[in-house]
Amino acid sequence: MRYSDEHIDQFIAGRLSSEDEANFKRAVDSNEELLLRLTERTVRLYGQQKLRSKLRDIDNDLEGGSPNRD
Amino acid sequence: MQVASKSIYKPDRVLIRAIKIGGIPENDALKQLYKQNLTPVTSFVLKNSGSEIDAKEMLQEAIITLYENIKSGQFEAKAKLSTYLFSVAKNKWYSQLKRKEIPTESPVDKNTPNNGFTILDQESIQRNEWVIGLMNHLKNDCKEILIYSIYQKYSMSEIAEMMNFKNEQIARNKKSKCLGYFKKIVLDYTKANQQIL
């Protein structure tokens, strides 16, 4: 079975049913390509988290009213 | 009394270039995009049943979408960046409103847009736990090279330069080693959770 990117996201977000989740985990164990996609998706989500955190810092700076920094 | 020192925003092409380059120019570009677009996005979200916090989240998610499209070379500057960001934020907010109507006990929603993962609480927590739980196993240099390559889509020669490697091949070897190690961590983590089920 070819898992979609959406399916991988649903697994990471804990949105699969117990049965689907168990099947997905077994598939990761036996499918090198799926393991690579799951790994790369994890890195991308981490990259997003870092960027989101940077944007929140920008917001905090604005809220803090750092005067005329530009 | 108004002060005459209103800041001058950089044009879109400069911002796009800055995001492609990364580093300090990228940080400045992100800051400008955030400042420039916060008011219109906030007005829209407030008028559509949201709060200021919702508005900030939507803008942040829209900037992330723009950033990823620029980094991957998929962004086509057909409209102004402000128009693009407003449109993405608006769609994300509508999508959020729609999803909030779906009961949490419902089965997997096949119609959820691929880029629709933003806030929704429990899912976000679960996702963050997954990501942090795994990434914490990596040393900083491995995190860095994997993000540069996989998320920010830099070429191996660019990575070699950014990370002070002697050449592209060394960067390639380092990435391969880090990726191989991380795949093993992901597999072990998945297996460990499987036994619990």
Side-chain angles (χ1 to χ4, degrees):
Chain A
M1 173 181 174
R2 162 85 186 177
Y3 286 95
S4 67
D5 291 344
E6 194 182 327
H7 203 109
I8 293 173
D9 282 342
Q10 287 168 352
F11 166 71
I12 292 174
R15 290 177 59 202
L16 295 180
S17 67
S18 302
E19 191 186 343
D20 281 350
E21 186 175 318
N23 286 336
F24 182 84
K25 285 175 175 177
R26 273 192 289 274
V28 170
D29 195 17
S30 61
N31 181 337
E32 179 70 18
E33 189 250 350
L34 181 59
L35 173 61
L36 177 62
R37 286 169 59 212
L38 178 61
T39 304
E40 290 188 338
R41 183 66 187 140
T42 303
V43 173
R44 280 195 286 274
L45 287 171
Y46 183 71
Q48 282 184 352
Q49 280 187 8
K50 301 286 280 181
L51 179 56
R52 196 172 286 118
S53 164
K54 196 185 273 188
L55 293 168
R56 285 179 183 155
D57 286 345
I58 291 171
D59 183 67
N60 287 337
D61 280 352
L62 289 177
E63 290 283 322
S66 309
N68 295 327
R69 293 208 324 195
D70 287 355
Chain B
M1 194 174 92
Q2 286 216 326
V3 181
S5 64
K6 194 174 180 183
S7 58
I8 297 166
Y9 287 132
K10 294 186 180 82
D12 284 358
R13 61 182 167 72
V14 175
L15 299 179
I16 294 168
R17 176 83 188 130
I19 289 175
K20 279 182 187 162
I21 292 168
I24 293 171
E26 176 185 294
N27 290 342
D28 290 343
L30 292 172
K31 202 177 286 182
Q32 177 179 321
L33 286 170
Y34 196 89
K35 284 173 72 172
Q36 209 173 358
N37 293 283
L38 184 57
T39 303
V41 171
T42 302
S43 301
F44 169 78
V45 173
L46 289 179
K47 279 180 200 159
N48 287 277
S49 318
S51 66
E52 278 189 28
I53 292 172
D54 293 324
K56 285 175 179 179
E57 285 176 347
M58 291 309 106
L59 176 58
Q60 287 162 14
E61 296 306 312
I63 292 176
I64 290 170
T65 300
L66 171 70
Y67 178 94
E68 290 177 352
N69 282 334
I70 290 174
K71 288 289 195 191
S72 66
Q74 289 175 333
F75 180 74
E76 292 177 31
K78 288 178 180 168
K80 285 170 66 179
L81 290 184
S82 55
T83 308
Y84 176 89
L85 285 174
F86 184 80
S87 167
V88 174
K90 187 175 81 173
N91 288 338
K92 282 181 182 290
W93 180 239
Y94 282 146
S95 165
Q96 186 92 319
L97 287 175
K98 200 173 171 185
R99 288 185 72 188
K100 279 180 176 173
E101 289 171 6
I102 298 169
T104 50
E105 297 296 318
S106 67
V108 170
D109 173 17
K110 305 265 185 216
N111 297 318
T112 303
N114 200 19
N115 60 358
F117 37 76
T118 49
I119 329 318
L120 290 186
D121 322 320
Q122 193 53 43
E123 290 172 22
S124 282
I125 293 166
Q126 179 93 10
R127 191 163 38 236
N128 288 348
E129 279 176 0
W130 169 270
V131 173
I132 299 295
L134 287 167
M135 293 299 293
N136 276 347
H137 288 84
L138 291 178
K139 288 185 180 167
N140 283 340
D141 58 345
C142 269
K143 281 183 193 167
E144 207 171 15
I145 198 166
L146 292 181
I147 287 178
Y148 282 154
S149 171
I150 294 168
Y151 184 62
Q152 300 183 326
K153 312 276 188 192
Y154 286 112
S155 69
M156 281 300 147
S157 61
E158 288 170 320
I159 292 172
E161 198 180 323
M162 288 188 291
M163 295 185 74
N164 292 322
F165 293 134
K166 276 186 183 171
N167 57 50
E168 192 179 324
Q169 190 55 47
I170 294 175
R172 203 177 298 282
N173 292 345
K174 178 76 180 170
K175 182 204 163 181
S176 172
K177 198 174 165 188
C178 289
L179 186 60
Y181 177 66
F182 194 44
K183 270 166 56 184
K184 188 177 177 319
I185 290 169
V186 172
L187 183 59
D188 288 348
Y189 194 85
T190 309
K191 274 184 178 174
N193 285 349
Q194 194 173 326
Q195 284 161 8
I196 291 166
L197 279 174

